[in-house]
Amino acid sequence: MKSILFAMTSKPAISAIIMKKKIKNIRNFSIVAHIDHGKSTLADRLIQLTGGLSEREMSEQVLDSMDIEKERGITIKAQTVRLEYIAHDGQTYILNLIDTPGHVDFAYEVNRSLAACEGSLLVVDAAQGVEAQTLANVYQAIEVDHEIVPVLNKIDLPAAEPERVKAQIEDVIGLDASEAVEISAKTGLGIEDVLEAIVTKLPPPEGDIDAPLKAMLVDSWYDAYLGVVVLVRVIDGIIKKGQKVRMMATSATYDLDRVGVFTPKLVQKDELGPGEIGFFTASIKEVADTNVGDTITDAKTPCDEALTGFRPAQPVVFCGLFPVDANDFEDLRAAMGRLRLNDASFSYEMETSAALGFGFRCGFLGLLHLEIIQERLSREFNLDLIATAPSVVYEMKMNNGDEIKLHNPADMPEVTKISEIREPWIKATILTPDEHLGSILKLCQDRRGIQTNLTYVGSRAMVEYDIPLNEVVFDFYDRLKSISRGYASFDYSLDNYREGDLVRLNVLVNAEPVDALSMLVHRGVAEARGRIMCEKLKELIPNHLFKIPIQAAIGGKVIARETISALRKDVTAKCYGGDVSRKRKLLDKQKAGKKKMRQFGKVEIPQEAFIKALKMSD
């Protein structure tokens, strides 16, 4: 009887000892790098070498699950995978890897992924060296006290210069790169050394198995079969199947249906302990019910205080999306709802336009995010869309003391009621080869940029600018790539709001304002922008049977004008000889007809005209 009693009491104690031993062999790490430096390819090799997937199940960029990610060769969603590795010391380690995006628009994905880890692999291209996003992502990792292991990728390239890049990492970032791991993720060279560096150099997580459950909600997405899948990092305690948990931000309680991990296949487990990263499902219907960064605790024995969490993603670019065919509006509404299920950073609300009918005003994290959402709507839901001019959020102080935020230039109040308009500014970091520096400085100057710093990283210049976000959202990135022949890299972070001399530029076609082409611009460039817009529309709008004036105006003042001539029929062709007054009479009759036509005629602006007119070129 005593022995049975002893066995009963010691079982939890034994499992606690096993769990504590297990924590020492867990490594949670993220891969951070600039775009196209080989993060996803390195993740593939790590999965392959640790046997996460068989040779038959492997594919290129296995963690990039969306077609659009594979086609563009970019990571959009951070993905998690749990790997098991038997190290040289004979012990089995559990490695939780989070592959993060490299593009500036998805920095919020990087931010929350890093919060779930203790260390990072910093991947740098051995030929290209340190780039703008390398800096941005590594600084984020340093901010959350990560142990960082530098990895030099693509050392098999003829242009690779590992020693130069190591010196660059030490000079620019200030990390010791003398023991940087040299690899080729494509061929698999040096991958074993990366795994050894992970288990020897990165710290294990800390956590108390006996404390009440405390877990961080890292991500969530909608699955057609399981409902909302919630990705969690357990800090203290145990999370298990059948447990009743509470979300501390919303106070909602749920019973857990299943608990498990991704290997990258979905594998169910009975429980997850401190330091582990896994998922649970609990019949949650909406992704909106799960706040990223929220603290999950046991409903009966909650933890004392919530985790600090992190700021929600704030949309910085807004634009209107309208269906080409008005009958597709309900399909567009349904498609937006489905996209919102898997992308909590995408926001939308209904709006109407005199020119384009019913549509939605959408908020995005940047232009790439806008482009990807548009492409997904047209590809996955077969919708033809017109996008209005992208604009940023302006702050307006009214004469009566009220402060309002303006998302759509067409909704701007009367100028007489506004005392101050403030626009968002960004801190931009550009790395470029020396020969392109002059033209890049001119581009930034033309966009109202204020230079704050200029340093050299070897033969490359690193220039820092404060620039209004309004000047960047149109085609700044395209122009930068074009003038630097693709060699310049660009990263930015939102800084603050500053007062600006801004005016609303309206475009009128046949004396009718086209609200889809309205934009807020700086007074100094308004005339040039208006002229370019009128010239472009003149080329893009086809000739009608009547004369069409195209005007750019600020308030009631027209600042630029172009005229599309009418399609004309030669009404005097039947007159051969005779009195000139007969010809004159026919021409006057035609003129009166054209005037009436212009008064009642509707100008058809083709969809391509909207898209091309909004792509500003200098």
Side-chain angles (χ1 to χ4, degrees):
M1 185 73 183
K2 269 184 185 176
S3 63
I4 294 167
L5 196 67
F6 173 75
M8 284 169 68
T9 53
S10 64
K11 199 172 180 185
I14 291 165
S15 78
I17 291 163
I18 292 167
M19 194 65 88
K20 280 171 185 169
K21 192 180 175 189
K22 191 176 167 188
I23 288 179
K24 288 182 183 171
N25 285 10
I26 294 175
R27 297 290 183 273
N28 298 323
F29 68 99
S30 204
I31 304 180
V32 293
H34 185 75
I35 310 148
D36 207 28
H37 278 202
K39 294 180 298 298
S40 298
T41 312
L42 174 58
D44 287 355
R45 294 293 84 76
L46 293 174
I47 291 166
Q48 210 170 2
L49 197 66
T50 53
L53 290 173
S54 65
E55 286 295 326
R56 188 171 59 82
E57 292 169 316
M58 277 302 291
S59 66
E60 278 192 37
Q61 273 80 45
V62 73
L63 294 182
D64 291 346
S65 51
M66 285 189 257
D67 290 343
I68 199 165
E69 289 182 309
K70 289 188 189 292
E71 278 174 31
R72 287 175 175 241
I74 58 171
T75 302
I76 294 166
K77 284 289 288 179
Q79 299 287 350
T80 312
V81 61
R82 174 181 169 130
L83 309 168
E84 287 194 6
Y85 171 62
I86 300 167
H88 291 172
D89 60 8
Q91 293 192 55
T92 302
Y93 289 86
I94 291 170
L95 311 180
N96 289 311
L97 147 70
I98 301 184
D99 178 27
T100 59
H103 199 281
V104 62
D105 281 14
F106 306 110
Y108 80 103
E109 287 275 348
V110 179
N111 185 12
R112 66 190 188 196
S113 304
L114 294 178
C117 305
E118 286 77 36
S120 291
L121 296 182
L122 171 66
V123 179
V124 182
D125 188 318
Q128 291 181 331
V130 175
E131 300 274 8
Q133 272 301 116
T134 315
L135 286 173
N137 289 339
V138 80
Y139 288 151
Q140 279 196 33
I142 290 166
E143 269 175 40
V144 289
D145 292 333
H146 271 205
E147 189 65 44
I148 294 164
V149 175
V151 176
L152 300 189
N153 190 19
K154 308 187 186 181
I155 60 157
D156 54 329
L157 292 179
E161 298 175 83
E163 292 310 314
R164 177 183 67 81
V165 174
K166 279 182 192 177
Q168 215 178 63
I169 292 170
E170 289 180 0
D171 293 346
V172 181
I173 304 169
L175 286 174
D176 177 19
S178 56
E179 293 182 21
V181 187
E182 296 184 14
I183 65 159
S184 166
K186 198 170 187 179
T187 62
L189 176 73
I191 302 299
E192 185 92 30
D193 299 337
V194 174
L195 288 163
E196 280 302 312
I198 291 165
V199 299
T200 56
K201 292 181 182 175
L202 298 185
E206 293 174 3
D208 183 358
I209 191 169
D210 304 318
L213 170 66
K214 184 190 276 188
M216 180 197 282
L217 198 159
V218 181
D219 198 4
S220 59
W221 60 92
Y222 187 80
D223 183 280
Y225 301 105
L226 306 174
V228 175
V229 179
V230 178
L231 186 71
V232 289
R233 156 71 202 267
V234 183
I235 310 293
D236 294 323
I238 291 175
I239 192 165
K240 51 188 161 189
K241 189 177 172 181
Q243 187 176 5
K244 194 180 188 75
V245 297
R246 191 169 96 230
M247 309 275 188
M248 291 185 85
T250 57
S251 297
T253 56
Y254 299 100
D255 292 315
L256 303 189
D257 302 334
R258 50 173 76 69
V259 171
V261 294
F262 295 103
T263 67
K265 291 178 287 192
L266 191 144
V267 176
Q268 290 197 50
K269 297 265 179 194
D270 293 329
E271 60 183 34
L272 294 173
E276 293 195 88
I277 296 175
F279 74 89
F280 70 75
T281 61
S283 306
I284 304 169
K285 304 285 187 293
E286 291 275 332
V287 172
D289 298 337
T290 56
N291 297 342
V292 168
D294 196 355
T295 305
I296 297 162
T297 188
D298 190 86
K300 291 175 188 163
T301 53
C303 59
D304 298 334
E305 54 182 36
L307 297 159
T308 50
F310 23 84
R311 289 194 313 274
Q314 290 294 331
V316 292
V317 176
F318 285 80
C319 98
L321 291 179
F322 295 84
V324 172
D325 182 352
N327 297 328
D328 290 341
F329 175 72
E330 285 304 323
D331 294 341
L332 177 60
R333 188 204 293 270
M336 294 252 186
R338 286 181 63 186
L339 275 190
R340 179 85 175 83
L341 284 174
N342 278 343
D343 188 349
S345 59
F346 166 59
S347 59
Y348 65 92
E349 58 185 38
M350 200 179 136
E351 76 165 356
T352 56
S353 154
L356 302 171
F358 288 104
F360 292 93
R361 189 90 194 149
C362 307
F364 307 93
L365 299 166
L367 284 186
L368 179 70
H369 190 208
L370 184 158
E371 213 176 298
I372 280 158
I373 292 283
Q374 249 184 292
E375 197 164 324
R376 286 186 68 188
L377 284 168
S378 62
R379 183 187 295 201
E380 294 171 27
F381 304 99
N382 297 320
L383 292 166
D384 283 334
L385 301 172
I386 295 173
T388 64
S391 73
V392 298
V393 185
Y394 299 94
E395 289 181 350
M396 301 204 167
K397 193 174 180 184
M398 311 306 284
N399 292 334
N400 61 4
D402 290 352
E403 292 214 357
I404 60 168
K405 291 201 170 188
L406 181 75
H407 295 157
N408 186 354
D411 299 335
M412 185 174 164
E414 286 177 36
V415 185
T416 50
K417 293 180 181 175
I418 303 168
S419 68
E420 189 181 289
I421 303 176
R422 293 189 293 269
E423 60 180 332
W425 282 62
I426 59 167
K427 284 199 174 298
T429 307
I430 300 165
L431 270 94
T432 174
D434 200 20
E435 63 265 28
H436 305 302
L437 182 61
S439 45
I440 285 171
L441 293 179
K442 186 180 182 305
L443 172 69
C444 294
Q445 226 73 48
D446 291 346
R447 299 298 174 99
R448 298 192 283 133
I450 300 165
Q451 189 177 321
T452 55
N453 198 6
L454 173 59
T455 50
Y456 274 85
V457 183
S459 63
R460 296 166 76 211
M462 184 168 90
V463 60
E464 290 175 23
Y465 261 92
D466 287 355
I467 307 178
L469 182 60
N470 181 8
E471 300 287 345
V472 174
V473 296
F474 278 100
D475 63 341
F476 181 83
Y477 194 67
D478 293 345
R479 295 280 305 145
L480 182 73
K481 285 290 178 193
S482 133
I483 60 180
S484 66
R485 298 189 194 145
Y487 285 107
S489 63
F490 170 65
D491 172 60
Y492 70 85
S493 59
L494 282 171
D495 186 21
N496 56 15
Y497 275 80
R498 302 184 196 177
E499 191 181 348
D501 185 11
L502 302 169
V503 291
R504 185 174 75 182
L505 181 69
N506 289 321
V507 175
L508 294 93
V509 176
N510 199 21
E512 288 286 322
V514 183
D515 53 359
L517 298 175
S518 291
M519 62 181 82
L520 251 69
V521 293
H522 191 265
R523 197 181 294 276
V525 297
E527 203 169 310
R529 280 266 169 95
R531 200 173 294 119
I532 291 169
M533 192 69 98
C534 290
E535 286 168 5
K536 278 201 160 190
L537 286 171
K538 186 184 178 183
E539 291 167 25
L540 296 165
I541 297 174
N543 296 55
H544 286 52
L545 289 168
F546 50 92
K547 206 187 282 184
I548 305 169
I550 300 168
Q551 297 161 309
I554 296 169
K557 184 187 176 188
V558 174
I559 55 167
R561 173 179 169 134
E562 293 287 336
T563 307
I564 300 172
S565 56
L567 288 170
R568 295 198 64 170
K569 180 185 174 189
D570 186 3
V571 288
T572 60
K574 58 187 178 186
C575 302
Y576 43 93
D579 188 6
V580 72
S581 61
R582 200 166 158 224
K583 286 186 181 179
R584 186 78 269 144
K585 189 178 172 186
L586 288 168
L587 287 167
D588 287 344
K589 192 177 174 186
Q590 185 188 39
K591 195 175 175 184
K594 297 273 183 199
K595 191 178 175 185
K596 191 176 179 184
M597 242 187 220
R598 193 187 140 199
Q599 203 174 343
F600 300 106
K602 192 171 184 296
V603 179
E604 291 292 331
I605 305 177
Q607 184 194 353
E608 308 85 69
F610 275 105
I611 296 162
K612 285 179 183 168
L614 295 171
K615 285 211 171 200
M616 279 285 175
S617 62
D618 288 17

